[in-house]
Amino acid sequence: LKEFWPYYLSEHKNSLNKILHFVGTACSLYWIIMSIVKKKPSNILLALFNGYGFAWIGHFLVEKNRPATFKYPIKSFVSDFLMFGAIIIGKVKIKE
């Protein structure tokens, strides 16, 4: 994952793409929490739909590249949450 992180960030240069990822991850976290709180596992599907939906819009329509999740699904999934946290603490800037 340490070697993958720079590549992952290089695929997320556009500010709008980062915002879309951030919003998608935030929505996913909401649905994961709701899945647990309401004891409704089907909400996990909403989490996946939100997370990947926003991210793929960011890649296909904004960044104009192929999502890393197609080639590196686990590393990409984990890196998305790492980027979310890094944006919150200011280690990754929305505008570079």
Side-chain angles (χ1 to χ4, degrees), residues 9 12 15 19 24 29-30 34 38 40-41 45 50 52 54 60 66 71-72 75 83-84 88 91-95:
L9 290 178
H12 300 84
S15 297
I19 291 168
L29 289 171
Y30 170 81
M34 287 296 101
K38 302 230 181 217
K40 195 171 178 184
L45 294 174
N50 277 259
Y52 286 114
F54 278 94
F60 291 125
R66 189 168 182 229
K71 193 169 183 181
Y72 308 101
K75 289 179 184 178
M83 185 168 72
F84 180 81
I88 289 173
K91 285 198 168 215
V92 169
K93 306 288 184 211
I94 295 289
K95 289 196 173 224

Side-chain angles (χ1 to χ4, degrees), residues 3-95:
E3 296 82 28
F4 180 76
W5 181 244
Y7 165 74
Y8 183 83
L9 290 178
S10 75
E11 295 292 300
H12 300 84
K13 292 178 182 169
N14 187 289
S15 297
L16 181 55
N17 187 26
K18 289 181 201 171
I19 291 168
L20 287 166
H21 275 68
F22 188 87
V23 170
T25 302
C27 290
S28 290
L29 289 171
Y30 170 81
W31 287 115
I32 291 167
I33 292 167
M34 287 296 101
S35 179
I36 294 165
V37 169
K38 302 230 181 217
K39 296 180 177 127
K40 195 171 178 184
S42 61
N43 284 344
I44 295 296
L45 294 174
L46 293 168
L48 292 170
F49 178 77
N50 277 259
Y52 286 114
F54 278 94
W56 290 355
I57 288 169
H59 284 288
F60 291 125
L61 301 179
V62 177
E63 197 84 49
K64 306 238 191 285
N65 63 14
R66 189 168 182 229
T69 195
F70 292 156
K71 193 169 183 181
Y72 308 101
I74 304 299
K75 289 179 184 178
S76 179
F77 181 82
V78 172
S79 294
D80 193 58
F81 284 93
L82 291 175
M83 185 168 72
F84 180 81
I87 289 171
I88 289 173
I89 65 172
K91 285 198 168 215
V92 169
K93 306 288 184 211
I94 295 289
K95 289 196 173 224

